[in-house]
Amino acid sequence: MSAPRRRFGLHQRTIIINGILALIVLIVILQLWLLTATMSAYLGGNTVVVWPAALASLACLGLNVGLLVYLFRLER
């Protein structure tokens, strides 16, 4: 037996969507900073940071995809 699903009002959904957008912007800025730092280190001859940075970037992608899936489920 599942609990009844609670629907959000328009004002509540707007607040949630604005929060999700703020998180996405923050994550994208983090990814741009990560790309810049990684390219600077790589061009400086430091290749050790490339794979950890790639994994961190994939984690950021996963967060963004998760937020997008949550957003689609919110609209149903």
Side-chain angles (χ1 to χ4, degrees):
M1 179 183 235
S2 65
R5 193 170 178 175
R6 186 174 167 192
R7 295 272 177 184
F8 294 109
L10 180 63
H11 181 68
Q12 291 171 324
R13 280 190 288 175
T14 303
I15 291 172
I16 291 171
I17 289 171
N18 285 336
I20 288 173
L21 280 175
L23 285 174
I24 287 173
V25 166
L26 189 68
I27 291 170
V28 168
I29 289 172
L30 175 73
Q31 277 187 304
L32 288 174
W33 172 80
L34 187 63
L35 176 68
T36 304
T38 303
M39 287 302 295
S40 177
Y42 181 75
L43 292 176
N46 187 1
T47 59
V48 176
V49 297
V50 172
W51 285 109
L55 292 176
S57 184
L58 279 175
C60 290
L61 175 68
L63 284 172
N64 275 335
V65 169
L67 288 171
L68 183 65
V69 168
Y70 180 77
L71 187 64
F72 284 138
R73 288 185 181 170
L74 184 68
E75 289 297 319
R76 285 187 200 167

